[in-house]
Amino acid sequence: MSDQTFKKNPGKNLVEIKNLVKYFPVRSGLLQRVTAWVQAVDDVSFTVREGETVGLVGESGCGKTTVGRTMLRLIEPTSGSVVFDGVDVFSLKGSALKRMRRNMQIIFQDPYASLDPRMPVGESIAEGLKIHNIGTSSDRFEAVLEMLKKVGLEDYHARRYPHEFSGGQRQRIGIARALALRPKFIVADEPVSALDVSIQSQVLNILKDLQQEFGLTYLFVAHNLSVVEHISDRVAVMYLGKMVEMAPRDEFFRNPLHPYTQALMSAIPIPDPTIRRERIILPGDVPSPLNPPSGCRFHPRCPVAFDHCKEEEPAFREVSPDHWVACWRIE
């Protein structure tokens, strides 16, 4: 597989997510009837442009991982649509869906659980190529060696098993596996959260270098806003299954508008002990997605909420060029 020169087309939307909904049923009783629904993702809409990285952040349980997996049809949606390169992903079946999967891959969060412990890592990386009948056995082996070099590993690592690698090396193998099919779009599901800080920077730099080389587009799911600032072109924030703010990176960190985003920003540590940042401490805990609050879902914890916030849900709207917010205060 020869290297190619890729150019970004920042004006083109590669992925368009429209009104995405994913509810999980809660079953109980002898007959396992559905008694409630976990509203993991509720009416989420945004776009990912060709060649860019969109950072998706929020607290645990806010639905960001579910968004990424539903986009790839690893989880079936409740409703909504995902249009990838002009094709509705949710309408595809059988061989058409299989062909689409070549262009949409995922890097899993846990580098220990995402690899088969009984399979040499070279075979794990080549598995996608084999499933899609790409090349001969020797072609696939050459592609595996090439991918290993791209992520900073050696040829002999292909014959080793996952338990022989560190967490950082395993995550590099996960990246190589996602890249083997030369996809256009990758969902990176918290790919550095389980790694040491020094290893995190190495993996992030690998992701950025590979994006430049192969013209990749990323949805980068993360908790850490400092990591998101380093790698993202635009940043989106979710809270309890809803999108609350989205903006270009520089605008996002310079001028956060949503009270929840402001609270997240206040928790970012500053590497200078002489500078003190005023923390915004949110009261209470995140409500249950089984029974989310009425109106704005953030209002029970919002320091600036007023009566209307409890009654009606704010629209996710563009308040300045490419800066989207769902908040009645901004109205």
Side-chain angles (χ1 to χ4, degrees):
M1 296 184 183
S2 60
D3 291 342
Q4 304 174 45
T5 301
F6 293 92
K7 295 181 180 179
K8 287 187 179 182
N9 183 3
K12 177 187 175 183
N13 290 333
L14 182 66
V15 189
E16 298 179 15
I17 298 90
K18 300 177 183 177
N19 309 113
L20 183 63
V21 175
K22 177 58 187 178
Y23 289 178
F24 292 97
V26 177
R27 302 179 185 275
S28 60
L30 186 63
L31 299 178
Q32 289 293 290
R33 290 183 174 142
V34 175
T35 56
W37 294 90
V38 177
Q39 300 179 29
V41 177
D42 193 3
D43 196 20
V44 166
S45 300
F46 65 100
T47 61
V48 185
R49 296 169 189 148
E50 187 175 15
E52 78 168 347
T53 299
V54 171
L56 186 59
V57 299
E59 293 175 90
S60 294
C62 73
K64 53 191 186 298
T65 293
T66 304
V67 167
R69 295 190 176 209
T70 307
M71 288 168 63
L72 303 183
R73 292 275 298 273
L74 297 180
I75 301 173
E76 290 298 322
T78 301
S79 64
S81 68
V82 172
V83 177
F84 175 81
D85 210 9
V87 179
D88 185 354
V89 176
F90 295 164
S91 68
L92 299 177
K93 296 180 181 179
S95 59
L97 178 60
K98 181 179 178 180
R99 286 193 299 272
M100 178 62 73
R101 292 195 189 281
R102 285 187 59 176
N103 289 316
M104 305 173 75
Q105 291 290 307
I106 185 168
I107 301 168
F108 292 100
Q109 176 181 357
D110 189 346
Y112 294 90
S114 62
L115 295 172
D116 188 338
R118 296 167 296 181
M119 184 180 289
V121 299
E123 291 185 22
S124 290
I125 296 170
E127 194 169 21
L129 298 169
K130 187 175 181 180
I131 289 171
H132 289 275
N133 297 315
I134 297 174
T136 63
S137 178
S138 59
D139 291 337
R140 292 194 287 268
F141 184 69
E142 288 299 318
V144 167
L145 299 185
E146 181 185 356
M147 285 297 105
L148 286 172
K149 289 177 182 176
K150 296 288 186 188
V151 298
L153 297 175
E154 301 296 334
D155 292 359
Y156 61 83
H157 286 135
R159 298 178 181 84
R160 293 188 175 180
Y161 288 84
H163 72 271
E164 300 179 74
F165 295 93
S166 67
Q169 288 175 318
R170 291 185 195 207
Q171 198 58 290
R172 291 172 189 236
I173 293 164
I175 294 170
R177 181 175 59 183
L179 279 173
L181 289 168
R182 298 295 175 91
K184 295 180 181 179
F185 176 64
I186 291 179
V187 173
D189 183 14
E190 301 190 43
V192 298
S193 63
L195 308 178
D196 294 337
V197 174
S198 59
I199 305 300
Q200 285 185 15
S201 62
Q202 295 176 18
V203 172
L204 289 174
N205 288 333
I206 287 173
L207 288 172
K208 292 186 76 172
D209 291 343
L210 291 171
Q211 181 178 38
Q212 188 71 28
E213 183 174 352
F214 295 118
L216 297 170
T217 303
Y218 292 138
L219 178 68
F220 190 91
V221 178
H223 285 107
N224 191 328
L225 278 171
S226 299
V227 169
V228 168
E229 184 178 15
H230 175 71
I231 198 170
S232 300
D233 298 300
R234 286 190 297 154
V235 183
V237 180
M238 287 187 68
Y239 181 81
L240 202 60
K242 291 280 189 181
M243 194 76 80
V244 297
E245 186 164 4
M246 185 171 190
R249 176 188 58 198
D250 294 342
E251 167 74 7
F252 179 87
F253 284 94
R254 182 180 64 251
N255 184 33
L257 296 178
H258 197 281
Y260 178 60
T261 308
Q262 294 168 357
L264 291 179
M265 293 286 197
S266 75
I268 301 175
I270 300 175
D272 186 343
T274 64
I275 300 176
R276 298 192 66 179
R277 174 180 279 154
E278 184 178 349
R279 282 293 309 275
I280 301 174
I281 306 298
L282 298 176
D285 296 320
V286 180
S288 170
L290 275 168
N291 186 27
S294 60
C296 174
R297 295 191 175 185
F298 185 58
H299 85 258
R301 306 176 70 199
C302 182
V304 296
F306 58 106
D307 289 342
H308 191 58
C309 300
K310 305 174 185 178
E311 299 164 0
E312 187 177 352
E313 182 182 322
F316 188 59
R317 68 184 191 89
E318 192 173 20
V319 297
S320 63
D322 212 19
H323 195 155
W324 297 73
V325 185
C327 180
W328 287 120
R329 280 288 179 186
I330 309 302
E331 300 281 346

